[in-house]
Amino acid sequence: MTFRTPMIAAAAVMFSTSLLAQNAPKLKIGLMLPYTGTYASLGNAIENGFKLYLSEQGNKFSGREVEFFKVDDESDPSKATDNVNKLVKRDNVDVLIGSVHSGVAMAMAKVAKDNGTLLIVPNAGADAVTGPMCAPNIFRTSFSNWQPGYAMGNVMAAKGLKKVVTITWKYAAGDESVRGFKEGFEKGGGSVVKELSLPFPNVEFQALLTEIAATKPDAVYTFFAGGGAVKFVKDYAAAGLKKAIPLYGAGFITDGTLDAQGEAAEGMYTTLHYADSLGTARDNAFRLAYAKSFKMQPDVYAVQGYDAAQVLAIGLKAVKGDLSKKAEFAAAVEKEKVDSPRGAFTISKAHNPVQDIYLRQVVGKENKLVGIASKALADPARGCKS
Ligand code: PHB
């Protein structure tokens, strides 16, 4: 009865794989995000997005159930090393997901680089993470701070603007966003006449707004996000500057914030790797599912969290759930396209998204798509030797 042998063998294989899946230990995922402070809503949106993708996969990655460990990092770099070590040493997580704040993410990247834990950054744009600190086990599903800034530099130079003042928080994200902007803007013939800043997460903007009014630039470029972005845009309009000196920015200034900003944000142009009206089947399905699950509209942070889960799934599938196969995990992620709601993108050798940066304009409660500011923009990954 030779025909029976392959059937028995096939049944045995099925039995053993299902047994394997059942016996495989839970995948321990450490979420290190801000759940309090100016970036709290960003952390929540990232977690929502991540969990939405997981639920679409039957709440399993490569057959493994998931257990979450959460830390509120408060967007505080001084606590970041202790916080990440809680997840790595105390909870023994297999994967780190975090964070929003560039300073916190750099501390996470240092720990991940030193001990080899898989890290997926779902927001923080710190150029160093996919620059000098790049590593086979560190990935980012968001952007580098340079990317939206550089794209907006090109847009504003092409508009014929010549003299611009920049204003931001004084830390890696603000500094690097402005640096990227300057690179694009100066290449196109513009000049930055003044760089204003205040410490993160301060929101006493009045003295700086007075300085902008006195300088009379053609326009202002800004990086703020979360609660600080809401207040800045409202204060800018209340100071009477909105009509006289147009305000542009990296798209975080108006993403996830429009309900709170209202009329003050109307008409603003920004650059980002997402917009509210892409109108693709992929994005429409994502937006519907997100709204159904969380009773609110998604924003760029929700997309980045969703894509962090997608990248984890791509890598895990390639290594059949075995995270010790780091080179194979990385090779799969570098090879495969990520089918993101923002539009499909690839992950560079330095592990940063190569993606379209959109020009958007605020119309009512939406960041409406105007066009593509920069097609398939890759971060220069300066200093990455991996
Ligand atoms: C960052 O710190 O890198 C950061 C924070 C919030 C954003 C974007 C970048 O919206």
Side-chain angles (χ1 to χ4, degrees):
M1 304 285 273
T2 49
F3 73 93
R4 287 189 104 168
T5 316
M7 277 179 68
I8 291 166
V13 167
M14 274 172 67
F15 179 71
S16 69
T17 45
S18 65
L19 204 71
L20 252 181
Q22 267 172 32
N23 287 348
K26 282 188 179 173
L27 186 74
K28 293 176 157 195
I29 299 181
L31 295 178
M32 184 159 146
L33 293 165
Y35 294 105
T36 53
T38 200
Y39 289 159
S41 62
L42 289 62
N44 283 308
I46 288 167
E47 179 175 337
N48 287 348
F50 190 94
K51 289 187 168 166
L52 176 61
Y53 183 77
L54 182 58
S55 75
E56 289 173 357
Q57 312 310 306
N59 288 313
K60 283 183 183 164
F61 282 117
S62 287
R64 286 175 74 175
E65 282 182 18
V66 168
E67 186 174 6
F68 285 105
F69 296 82
K70 279 169 64 163
V71 169
D72 176 8
D73 67 41
E74 304 166 51
S75 297
D76 186 345
S78 75
K79 298 179 184 164
T81 304
D82 282 348
N83 279 333
V84 71
N85 277 328
K86 276 184 209 155
L87 292 170
V88 172
K89 301 209 167 118
R90 182 193 65 192
D91 302 331
N92 247 308
V93 298
D94 300 301
V95 189
L96 287 164
I97 306 290
S99 185
V100 167
H101 184 286
S102 274
V104 173
M106 282 193 278
M108 295 182 80
K110 168 120 191 23
V111 170
K113 203 171 160 76
D114 288 349
N115 68 16
T117 308
L118 174 62
L119 167 64
I120 303 178
V121 180
N123 182 71
D127 291 345
V129 167
T130 54
M133 303 177 88
C134 73
N137 59 313
I138 299 177
F139 300 85
R140 179 154 54 198
T141 59
S142 51
F143 58 92
S144 72
N145 291 319
W146 179 90
Q147 282 177 310
Y150 181 79
M152 187 45 105
N154 290 336
V155 167
M156 289 175 71
K159 276 185 190 282
L161 297 163
K162 294 287 177 226
K163 271 176 42 185
V164 163
V165 170
T166 63
I167 179 165
T168 188
W169 276 316
K170 185 90 208 124
Y171 81 104
D175 291 346
E176 292 169 0
S177 181
V178 165
R179 210 179 302 146
F181 167 75
K182 245 174 119 166
E183 192 181 325
F185 190 53
E186 288 176 351
K187 210 185 258 179
S191 59
V192 171
V193 294
K194 199 170 262 179
E195 294 183 35
L196 301 173
S197 64
L198 73 172
F200 175 87
N202 290 7
V203 289
E204 285 78 42
F205 300 120
Q206 223 47 55
L208 298 172
L209 293 174
T210 305
E211 209 171 330
I212 290 172
T215 309
K216 297 193 177 64
D218 298 336
V220 167
Y221 172 81
T222 191
F223 167 90
F224 290 109
V230 170
K231 182 157 189 298
F232 181 73
V233 168
K234 290 177 98 168
D235 286 4
Y236 195 88
L241 292 173
K242 184 169 155 57
K243 287 245 157 59
I245 307 171
L247 178 61
Y248 297 81
F252 314 109
I253 189 76
T254 58
D255 225 271
T257 56
L258 290 175
D259 284 342
Q261 286 163 334
E263 195 42 40
E266 186 68 24
M268 273 184 72
Y269 286 100
T270 63
T271 43
L272 205 63
H273 46 288
Y274 190 56
D276 291 321
S277 56
L278 292 177
T280 58
R282 181 73 180 97
D283 190 44
N284 291 347
F286 165 77
R287 293 183 75 92
L288 201 65
Y290 191 93
K292 244 172 128 173
S293 291
F294 306 110
K295 312 288 173 252
M296 60 196 225
Q297 291 302 313
D299 55 19
V300 69
Y301 310 104
V303 172
Q304 293 168 173
Y306 187 85
D307 292 341
Q310 290 212 70
V311 162
L312 180 56
I314 288 169
L316 277 169
K317 188 169 165 218
V319 299
K320 302 193 175 55
D322 179 0
L323 278 178
S324 68
K325 295 183 173 158
K326 291 188 183 126
E328 285 173 41
F329 185 102
V333 172
E334 287 170 26
K335 202 172 96 213
E336 216 166 298
K337 268 196 175 157
V338 183
D339 185 19
S340 172
R342 78 187 81 171
F345 68 87
T346 55
I347 300 264
S348 70
K349 283 267 171 251
H351 295 171
N352 192 63
V354 179
Q355 57 192 343
D356 294 347
I357 306 292
Y358 303 109
L359 177 63
R360 312 108 50 89
Q361 186 178 31
V362 176
V363 180
K365 293 287 151 64
E366 283 204 333
N367 286 290
K368 272 218 173 309
L369 177 68
V370 175
I372 294 177
S374 205
K375 184 91 196 139
L377 185 64
D379 179 83
R382 292 169 185 132
C384 171
K385 304 227 166 61
S386 178

